[in-house]
């Protein structure tokens, strides 16, 4: 069975993430979406439970998907699942630089392979932090986050005053 892990912070998941999930799921028998922590980023705005609910809601039509979370290093999580394939996406040159270095370290530590899916051109400008910023000013998130979670994401952002 071909299985892969798609890790991310998903704060919140966007239409760009969903595009990668749908395309990756077509290539493997099982895709684990793993919510992790990026020590280089400030604390998550959405709770872990909210992110799990969002990801489950937008992937409910895809039976081969499992949503979970991990703490610590991705290599240790992957080893515990007996999975050696990681899926990531690349939007820009900056992503390329960061992602390749991280992938090389993951290969060095535990022999993990990383497959990159080029980001869909339509979603190149989207990022979770831009979604948070736009929503916090009360602007619509239509087209930026999947419709199943748009109201919940918008409600929390627009009522938070977090800018
Ligand atoms: N379309 C649009 N936007 C996309 C996208 C796509 N296809 N794919 C990613 N993005 C955006 C996200 O919205 C996000 O935006 P943001 O920076 O504004 O939040 C950004 O690209 C990347 O986010 P995401 O893919 O959700 O996760 P991440 O890069 O924050 O996640 C981990 C990184 C969790 C996978 C990584 O830090 C990790 O493995 N952590 C565990 C510790 C570890 O092992 N570190 C590595 C040591 S070598």
């Amino acid at each position: 069975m071909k299985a892969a892990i798609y890790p991310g912070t998903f704060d919140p998941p966007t239409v760009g993430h969903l595009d990668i999930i749908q395309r990756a799921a077509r290539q493997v028998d099982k895709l684990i979406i793993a919510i992790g922590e990026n020590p280089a980023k400030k604390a998550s705005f959405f709770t872990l439970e909210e992110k799990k609910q969002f990801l489950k809601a937008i992937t409910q039509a895809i039976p081969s998907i499992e949503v979970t979370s991990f703490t610590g290093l991705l290599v240790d999580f992957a080893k515990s699942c007996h999975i050696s394939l990681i899926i990531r996406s690349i939007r820009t040159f900056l992503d390329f630089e960061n992602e390749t270095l991280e992938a090389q370290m993951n290969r060095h530590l535990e022999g993990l392979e990383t497959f990159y899916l080029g980001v869909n051109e339509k979603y190149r400008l989207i990022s979770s932090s831009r979604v948070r910023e736009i929503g916090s000013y009360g602007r619509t998130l239509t087209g930026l986050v999947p419709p199943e979670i748009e109201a919940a994401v918008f409600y929390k952002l627009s009522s938070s005053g977090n800018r």
Side-chain angles (χ1 to χ4, degrees), residues 69-119:
S69 61
F70 69 101
T71 52
L73 292 177
L74 177 61
V75 287
D76 292 327
F77 172 70
K79 198 173 172 189
S80 73
C81 304
H82 306 286
I83 293 177
S84 58
L85 179 60
I86 304 299
I87 304 286
R88 293 287 290 164
S89 70
I90 290 193
R91 293 167 300 167
T92 60
F93 282 116
L94 195 62
D95 279 356
F96 180 78
E97 177 77 3
N98 293 332
E99 292 294 333
T100 47
L101 292 176
E102 201 154 309
Q104 281 166 16
M105 181 54 84
N106 288 335
R107 192 164 62 236
H108 169 77
L109 291 173
E110 281 299 339
L112 295 189
E113 286 295 352
T114 303
F115 284 6
Y116 301 106
L117 294 182
V119 72

Side-chain angles (χ1 to χ4, degrees), residues 15-136:
V15 288
H17 287 125
L18 181 57
D19 176 62
I20 297 298
I21 291 168
Q22 289 168 333
R23 288 162 56 201
R26 286 198 284 271
Q27 305 303 324
V28 293
D29 304 305
K30 182 178 178 185
L31 183 67
I32 296 184
I33 304 177
I35 307 164
E37 291 158 6
N38 184 340
K41 287 183 172 174
K42 60 179 186 179
S44 182
F45 176 76
F46 290 96
T47 66
L48 180 58
E49 209 36 57
E50 286 168 333
K51 294 197 260 187
K52 273 189 186 159
Q53 280 171 17
F54 293 157
L55 285 162
K56 283 182 182 167
I58 65 177
T59 60
Q60 60 183 349
I62 314 174
S64 58
I65 284 184
E66 188 184 315
V67 177
T68 187
S69 61
F70 69 101
T71 52
L73 292 177
L74 177 61
V75 287
D76 292 327
F77 172 70
K79 198 173 172 189
S80 73
C81 304
H82 306 286
I83 293 177
S84 58
L85 179 60
I86 304 299
I87 304 286
R88 293 287 290 164
S89 70
I90 290 193
R91 293 167 300 167
T92 60
F93 282 116
L94 195 62
D95 279 356
F96 180 78
E97 177 77 3
N98 293 332
E99 292 294 333
T100 47
L101 292 176
E102 201 154 309
Q104 281 166 16
M105 181 54 84
N106 288 335
R107 192 164 62 236
H108 169 77
L109 291 173
E110 281 299 339
L112 295 189
E113 286 295 352
T114 303
F115 284 6
Y116 301 106
L117 294 182
V119 72
N120 188 321
E121 201 48 41
K122 289 187 287 190
Y123 305 137
R124 208 165 159 259
L125 72 173
I126 297 174
S127 72
S128 300
S129 48
R130 289 207 185 100
V131 164
R132 292 199 303 276
E133 189 172 353
I134 292 164
S136 73

